[in-house]
Amino acid sequence: DVKVTQSSRYLVKRTGEKVFLECVQDMDHENMFWYRQDPGLGLRLIYFSYDVKMKEKGDIPEGYSVSREKKERFSLILESASTNQTSMYLCASSFQQGGHSNQPQHFGDGTRLSIL
Amino acid sequence: EDQVTQSPEALRLQEGESSSLNCSYTVSGLRGLFWYRQDPGKGPEFLFTLYSAGEEKEKERLKATLTKKESFLHITAPKPEDSATYLCAVQAWNAGNNRKLIWGLGTSLAVNP
């Protein structure tokens, strides 16, 4: 079974802090993703990565950055946390088959982040 | 514009009362349609992938079907443990980010004993 592990289930930070969310997958997947999930807005893609050191912006990248130094690990960074970044953050990974990917994404259990 | 719409938003069933959830999509070309189940406070759990119209997949009390415009998730004789939010997502052909999924907002299912 695919295992995607997020470092914290719950996190409380203060406005202006730099926040790091970590995600590790154990299936040697090429693709990794960061989403946030808010009531009424559904899942929104922040950033994704298709290879080590490669990244692409998703739909809502403002205020976030990412790092992928190793294949199994993908980090989300809130450069200067603000209250509107309070949310559930979900990491996912998927297998890349050839030049295209229509394989399912597998999710971690999420980090509930509160910015005070 | 690529879009995924799920209906109903919420559904309450009695145990054993079969029903269907709908996922309608408008995309330039379908590469895959995915169904997930999400329990409160957890990440989405993958259920099925459908790739072409006419395809069907089954798992226990769940059966997913696909046409050129929509997908149905049929729940036969549901049990209280089937209570969850069911999410639908679509992967479309486009020139660039073919790894991205377009997500619906989900159907919240409650099954009463």
Side-chain angles (χ1 to χ4, degrees):
Chain A
D1 275 357
V2 177
K3 183 78 172 171
V4 178
T5 303
Q6 295 186 229
S7 54
S8 305
R9 291 299 308 276
Y10 301 94
L11 206 54
V12 180
K13 297 291 182 181
R14 297 217 171 264
T15 55
E17 280 193 69
K18 192 168 186 176
V19 181
F20 295 84
L21 303 183
E22 306 286 342
C23 175
V24 176
Q25 51 96 2
D26 68 354
M27 284 302 293
D28 204 35
H29 283 170
E30 290 82 2
N31 302 316
M32 295 189 75
F33 306 82
W34 275 107
Y35 292 90
R36 64 179 283 177
Q37 186 175 32
D38 301 286
L41 297 177
L43 280 156
R44 292 182 291 166
L45 182 65
I46 304 170
Y47 267 98
F48 68 96
S49 167
Y50 53 91
D51 201 352
V52 174
K53 297 192 185 295
M54 305 304 289
K55 62 185 179 185
E56 286 205 29
K57 293 180 180 179
D59 299 315
I60 51 163
E62 297 78 18
Y64 303 95
S65 62
V66 290
S67 172
R68 194 165 180 202
E69 296 296 319
K70 292 185 178 182
K71 190 175 184 180
E72 68 271 18
R73 187 179 297 270
F74 192 34
S75 302
L76 179 69
I77 303 149
L78 285 65
E79 298 291 344
S80 177
S82 64
T83 54
N84 62 12
Q85 292 179 310
T86 291
S87 185
M88 170 74 121
Y89 288 87
L90 291 161
C91 175
S93 71
S94 70
F95 177 60
Q96 179 76 6
Q97 194 160 22
H100 301 281
S101 174
N102 56 0
Q103 301 300 306
Q105 295 180 16
H106 298 272
F107 286 82
D109 273 341
T111 295
R112 174 78 62 186
L113 176 64
S114 296
I115 307 295
L116 305 179
Chain B
E1 182 187 350
D2 295 337
Q3 197 169 352
V4 173
T5 303
Q6 291 188 246
S7 61
E9 285 186 24
L11 182 62
R12 187 175 294 274
L13 300 173
Q14 288 299 122
E15 185 172 2
E17 180 187 1
S18 301
S19 188
S20 297
L21 313 183
N22 178 263
C23 171
S24 62
Y25 61 91
T26 307
V27 295
S28 50
L30 182 69
R31 297 197 70 239
L33 184 143
F34 306 88
W35 281 101
Y36 289 82
R37 169 198 170 117
Q38 186 174 24
D39 293 301
K42 296 276 199 97
E45 175 191 349
F46 170 68
L47 293 173
F48 304 110
T49 309
L50 301 166
Y51 293 110
S52 56
E55 191 175 358
E56 297 182 354
K57 293 270 179 76
E58 274 189 81
K59 180 181 178 180
E60 296 180 356
R61 295 177 293 281
L62 300 177
K63 180 180 177 180
T65 62
L66 181 65
T67 73
K68 288 187 177 180
K69 293 183 178 180
E70 60 192 347
S71 177
F72 290 95
L73 185 65
H74 306 278
I75 304 177
T76 302
K79 297 182 177 181
E81 53 261 43
D82 294 321
S83 298
T85 296
Y86 290 86
L87 297 170
C88 171
V90 162
Q91 189 170 33
W93 285 102
N94 59 43
N97 297 326
N98 55 36
R99 296 164 183 84
K100 288 176 64 174
L101 297 181
I102 305 155
W103 291 87
L105 294 180
T107 294
S108 176
L109 174 66
V111 182
N112 296 327

